[in-house]
Coordinates of all heavy atoms in Angstrom, one line a residue:
S6 N 17.3 3.3 6.6 CA 16.3 4.1 7.4 C 14.9 3.3 7.4 O 14.3 3.3 8.5 CB 16.1 5.5 6.8 OG 17.3 6.1 6.7
I7 N 14.6 2.8 6.3 CA 13.3 2.1 6.2 C 13.3 0.9 7.1 O 12.4 0.6 7.9 CB 13.0 1.7 4.8 CG1 12.7 2.9 3.9 CG2 11.8 0.7 4.7 CD1 12.6 2.6 2.4
L8 N 14.5 0.1 7.1 CA 14.5 -1.1 7.9 C 14.5 -0.8 9.4 O 13.9 -1.5 10.2 CB 15.8 -1.8 7.5 CG 15.9 -2.5 6.2 CD1 17.2 -3.1 5.9 CD2 14.8 -3.5 6.0
V9 N 15.1 0.4 9.7 CA 15.1 0.8 11.1 C 13.7 1.1 11.6 O 13.3 0.7 12.7 CB 16.1 2.0 11.4 CG1 15.9 2.6 12.7 CG2 17.6 1.6 11.2
V10 N 13.0 1.9 10.8 CA 11.7 2.2 11.1 C 10.7 1.0 11.2 O 10.0 0.8 12.2 CB 11.1 3.2 10.0 CG1 9.6 3.4 10.3 CG2 11.8 4.5 10.1
V11 N 10.9 0.1 10.2 CA 10.1 -1.2 10.3 C 10.4 -2.0 11.5 O 9.5 -2.5 12.2 CB 10.4 -2.0 9.0 CG1 9.7 -3.4 9.1 CG2 9.8 -1.3 7.8
A12 N 11.7 -2.1 11.8 CA 12.1 -2.9 13.1 C 11.6 -2.3 14.3 O 11.1 -3.0 15.2 CB 13.6 -3.0 13.1
T13 N 11.6 -0.9 14.4 CA 11.0 -0.2 15.5 C 9.5 -0.5 15.7 O 9.0 -0.7 16.8 CB 11.3 1.3 15.4 OG1 12.7 1.5 15.3 CG2 10.8 2.0 16.7
L14 N 8.8 -0.4 14.5 CA 7.4 -0.6 14.6 C 7.0 -2.0 15.0 O 6.1 -2.2 15.8 CB 6.8 -0.3 13.2 CG 6.7 1.1 12.8 CD1 6.2 1.2 11.3 CD2 5.9 2.0 13.7
I15 N 7.8 -3.0 14.5 CA 7.6 -4.4 14.9 C 7.8 -4.6 16.4 O 7.1 -5.3 17.1 CB 8.4 -5.3 14.0 CG1 7.9 -5.3 12.6 CG2 8.4 -6.8 14.6 CD1 8.8 -6.2 11.7
A16 N 8.9 -4.0 16.9 CA 9.2 -4.0 18.3 C 8.1 -3.5 19.2 O 7.7 -4.1 20.2 CB 10.5 -3.3 18.6
I17 N 7.6 -2.3 18.8 CA 6.4 -1.7 19.5 C 5.2 -2.6 19.4 O 4.5 -2.7 20.4 CB 6.2 -0.3 18.9 CG1 7.3 0.7 19.2 CG2 4.9 0.3 19.5 CD1 7.2 2.0 18.5
W18 N 5.0 -3.2 18.3 CA 3.9 -4.1 18.1 C 4.0 -5.3 19.1 O 3.0 -5.6 19.7 CB 3.9 -4.6 16.6 CG 2.7 -5.3 16.2 CD1 1.7 -5.9 16.9 CD2 2.4 -5.7 14.8 NE1 0.8 -6.5 16.2 CE2 1.2 -6.4 14.9 CE3 3.0 -5.4 13.6 CZ2 0.6 -7.0 13.7 CZ3 2.4 -6.0 12.4 CH2 1.2 -6.7 12.5
Y19 N 5.2 -5.9 19.2 CA 5.3 -7.0 20.1 C 5.1 -6.6 21.5 O 4.4 -7.3 22.3 CB 6.7 -7.6 20.0 CG 6.9 -8.7 19.0 CD1 7.6 -8.6 17.8 CD2 6.2 -9.9 19.2 CE1 7.7 -9.6 16.9 CE2 6.3 -11.0 18.3 CZ 7.1 -10.8 17.1 OH 7.2 -11.8 16.2
V20 N 5.6 -5.4 21.9 CA 5.4 -4.9 23.3 C 3.9 -4.7 23.5 O 3.4 -5.0 24.6 CB 6.2 -3.7 23.5 CG1 5.9 -3.0 24.9 CG2 7.7 -4.0 23.4
A21 N 3.2 -4.1 22.6 CA 1.8 -3.8 22.7 C 0.9 -5.1 22.8 O -0.2 -5.1 23.5 CB 1.3 -3.0 21.5
C22 N 1.4 -6.2 22.3 CA 0.7 -7.5 22.4 C 0.5 -7.9 23.8 O -0.5 -8.6 24.2 CB 1.4 -8.5 21.5 SG 1.2 -8.4 19.8
I23 N 1.5 -7.6 24.7 CA 1.5 -8.2 26.0 C 0.3 -7.7 26.8 O -0.5 -8.5 27.3 CB 2.9 -7.9 26.7 CG1 4.0 -8.5 25.9 CG2 2.9 -8.4 28.1 CD1 5.4 -8.1 26.4
P24 N 0.1 -6.4 27.0 CA -1.1 -6.0 27.8 C -2.4 -6.3 27.1 O -3.4 -6.6 27.7 CB -0.9 -4.5 28.0 CG 0.1 -4.1 26.9 CD 0.9 -5.2 26.6
M25 N -2.4 -6.2 25.7 CA -3.6 -6.4 25.0 C -4.2 -7.8 25.1 O -5.4 -8.0 25.2 CB -3.4 -6.0 23.5 CG -3.2 -4.6 23.2 SD -4.7 -3.6 23.6 CE -5.8 -4.2 22.4
N26 N -3.3 -8.8 25.2 CA -3.7 -10.2 25.2 C -3.6 -10.8 26.6 O -3.8 -12.0 26.8 CB -2.9 -11.0 24.2 CG -3.0 -10.5 22.8 OD1 -4.0 -9.9 22.5 ND2 -1.9 -10.6 22.0
M27 N -3.2 -10.0 27.6 CA -2.9 -10.5 28.9 C -4.2 -11.1 29.6 O -4.1 -12.1 30.3 CB -2.3 -9.4 29.8 CG -1.9 -9.9 31.2 SD -0.9 -11.4 31.2 CE 0.6 -10.8 30.5
L28 N -5.3 -10.5 29.4 CA -6.5 -11.0 30.1 C -6.9 -12.4 29.6 O -7.2 -13.3 30.4 CB -7.7 -10.0 29.8 CG -9.0 -10.4 30.5 CD1 -8.9 -10.5 32.0 CD2 -10.1 -9.4 30.1
E29 N -6.8 -12.6 28.3 CA -7.1 -13.9 27.8 C -6.0 -14.9 28.2 O -6.4 -16.1 28.5 CB -7.1 -13.9 26.2 CG -7.4 -15.2 25.5 CD -8.7 -15.8 25.8 OE1 -9.6 -14.9 26.2 OE2 -8.9 -17.0 25.7
A30 N -4.8 -14.5 28.3 CA -3.7 -15.4 28.8 C -4.0 -15.8 30.3 O -3.7 -16.9 30.7 CB -2.4 -14.7 28.7
A31 N -4.5 -14.8 31.0 CA -4.8 -15.1 32.5 C -5.9 -16.1 32.6 O -5.9 -17.0 33.4 CB -5.1 -13.8 33.2
I32 N -6.9 -15.9 31.7 CA -8.1 -16.8 31.7 C -7.6 -18.2 31.4 O -8.0 -19.2 32.1 CB -9.2 -16.3 30.8 CG1 -9.8 -15.0 31.3 CG2 -10.3 -17.4 30.6 CD1 -10.7 -14.4 30.3
Q33 N -6.8 -18.3 30.4 CA -6.3 -19.7 30.0 C -5.5 -20.3 31.0 O -5.6 -21.5 31.3 CB -5.6 -19.6 28.7 CG -6.4 -19.1 27.5 CD -7.6 -20.1 27.1 OE1 -7.5 -21.3 27.3 NE2 -8.6 -19.5 26.6
A34 N -4.6 -19.5 31.7 CA -3.7 -20.0 32.7 C -4.5 -20.5 33.9 O -4.2 -21.5 34.6 CB -2.7 -18.9 33.1

Side-chain angles (χ1 to χ4, degrees):
S6 303
I7 292 172
L8 291 176
V9 169
V10 171
V11 171
T13 304
L14 290 176
I15 291 176
I17 294 173
W18 189 348
Y19 269 113
V20 172
C22 286
I23 299 174
M25 289 296 295
N26 302 329
M27 181 52 67
L28 181 59
E29 180 63 23
I32 293 172
Q33 296 297 331

